[in-house]
Amino acid sequence: MKSTGLVRRLAALGAGVAMAATMATGVLASPATASSSKSSAKPKVSATTPKASPKHYEGECPVEITFSAKVKVKAVKKKTTVVYRWLHGDGSKSKIKSYRLTGKGTKHLTLKEQATFKRDTKGWQRLQVLSPRKVTTAKGYFSVDCEGRPPVHHDPQYVRTYVNVEPDRYVGECTPYTRIGAKGVITVGRPAWVRYRWVQNGHVVDYGKTKVYDSKRVYHSFKARDTHRGYVALEVLSPEYSKAKDHYSVRCVDERPEPRVSARVSGPSDYAGTCPVARTFNGSISVNTGRTAVEYRWAGPGYRGPVQRAYFRHAGSESVNHTVQVGESDKVHRWIEILGPGDERSNTASARVRCASEPDAKAWIVSLSNTADKTTCNDETGPSVKHVAKVRVTGATTLSYRWEVNGSASTEIERSVKGPGVESLAWGSGPDKGDTTKGTVRLVLTAPNGDTASETFSHTC
């Protein structure tokens, strides 16, 4: 082969020469196999790597190449529809097509696609089955050598443009995330590199350069900042000048109600025992509208906590909590102050603590174990897990403890026990997404004395 032909083929490959526009598809079905199997919800599907005929072509162009792949569908029902498309090496895809199989058992069919090439090309084809089960084949490679001759363009060069703004009449909220799109189409008489730019209300807002073989879509979007009217234009600067524009209007309407924030607080039960002891107050913050950031803090007599923030995507409530370490007999008061939006204050909750000089009893964690409940297993979640701790106590007391699963802590839990003996403490977690629930569980005993135990767990459906 002449060296000039090799140079031109390499140049065509480096420029990303794509398939020609004319495409056709055919479907041939072969007889079903004699054996049959029971139908299932999702039949098994397999497909072979596409073959090009001819695989390596040398000669005059244009030339038509046929691509074919064999598909095997097992355990089909009386009627099964195979939905598929072809994937091309230049990044394009064919239209989605379908073929209906009838009769039970294992079926074979051959799917074909033809393409016409006008110039040197190296590329590949893949078949992608979308239904009844998604399968994508390996790449089937091919090449076209038009005997090293440069392509001859007999079509005259011209450039046409089209643009459409969607929606062209917008009425609604104008947030920083509200955008309006413009879709443009550039059509050329023969393949060329096209330089273009987007113009909005007389100002250049974007520009680009792209290779167009026949027609190509380009896109632009802008924020709906305020109420106004205007236009978006697509201008092609080369190889020939062309321009198209579309008008639009924006009317901003604030659909959100004025945000109102409220809060409620509840306190822990009274405590009598060894000090210091941790007492947890539970609260909830509620808003009447979404996309609201609430700043708040916990407060009490002589106490103002750090400012915290809760973000609401939708109207509703969010739980919050606050833990106080009490070192002597006292009555602790806490409430929530809303700093914005608005200026609200919740009710006041109290917790009475009576500290004993000596502990009435002692407790320690003997063991920590977990078991899986696989009744929660399905296609999306794994098993739920039950964690059980054995705690030995030396006498009647009130156990105060919390569970921590994967770093997320429960509220402080209290439980009165008679003792002496072994008490069982249980906690549930999960299920996680996927077929496996795993992590680390930790039990923190805070009263009548401190003790901790942790264990890792992993359970699969």
Side-chain angles (χ1 to χ4, degrees), residues 135-281:
V135 174
T136 304
T137 68
K139 298 176 181 177
Y141 292 89
F142 71 96
S143 64
V144 173
D145 179 9
C146 298
E147 295 185 340
R149 292 193 298 273
V152 178
H153 300 294
H154 300 287
D155 299 331
Q157 181 61 286
Y158 62 84
V159 178
R160 297 191 182 100
T161 53
Y162 167 81
V163 66
N164 179 52
V165 178
E166 182 65 32
D168 58 350
R169 292 180 177 86
Y170 175 80
V171 178
E173 291 185 79
C174 295
T175 71
Y177 311 102
T178 304
R179 302 190 73 88
I180 296 177
K183 179 181 72 175
V185 180
I186 302 173
T187 304
V188 295
R190 59 174 182 264
W193 281 97
V194 173
R195 292 193 305 112
Y196 66 93
R197 66 184 182 182
W198 290 95
V199 179
Q200 183 178 1
N201 302 327
H203 302 282
V204 177
V205 292
D206 197 5
Y207 58 89
K209 182 179 181 182
T210 184
K211 184 68 175 287
V212 181
Y213 293 93
D214 183 14
S215 64
K216 194 168 191 177
R217 294 181 179 181
V218 291
Y219 300 91
H220 171 66
S221 66
F222 58 94
K223 295 181 180 179
R225 299 179 184 274
D226 49 31
T227 299
H228 70 284
R229 294 176 179 270
Y231 72 89
V232 174
L234 173 62
E235 291 186 358
V236 172
L237 306 177
S238 67
E240 293 184 1
Y241 181 81
S242 180
K243 178 180 178 180
K245 68 178 181 179
D246 192 19
H247 293 269
Y248 69 90
S249 64
V250 174
R251 183 161 67 89
C252 298
V253 178
D254 189 2
E255 298 179 347
R256 292 184 303 166
E258 188 71 21
R260 294 192 302 272
V261 186
S262 60
R264 291 289 300 174
V265 175
S266 62
S269 59
D270 292 346
Y271 170 82
T274 305
C275 295
V277 64
R279 311 306 291 154
T280 299
F281 292 81

Side-chain angles (χ1 to χ4, degrees), residues 173 175 177 254-262 285-296 308-318 338-343:
E173 291 185 79
T175 71
Y177 311 102
D254 189 2
E255 298 179 347
R256 292 184 303 166
E258 188 71 21
R260 294 192 302 272
V261 186
S262 60
I285 299 175
S286 303
V287 298
N288 67 326
T289 182
R291 297 195 299 275
T292 303
V294 177
E295 290 188 342
Y296 70 97
Q308 302 180 59
R309 172 173 289 192
Y311 183 77
F312 293 81
R313 294 185 180 274
H314 308 282
S317 301
E318 182 173 321
I338 302 298
L339 306 179
D343 183 13

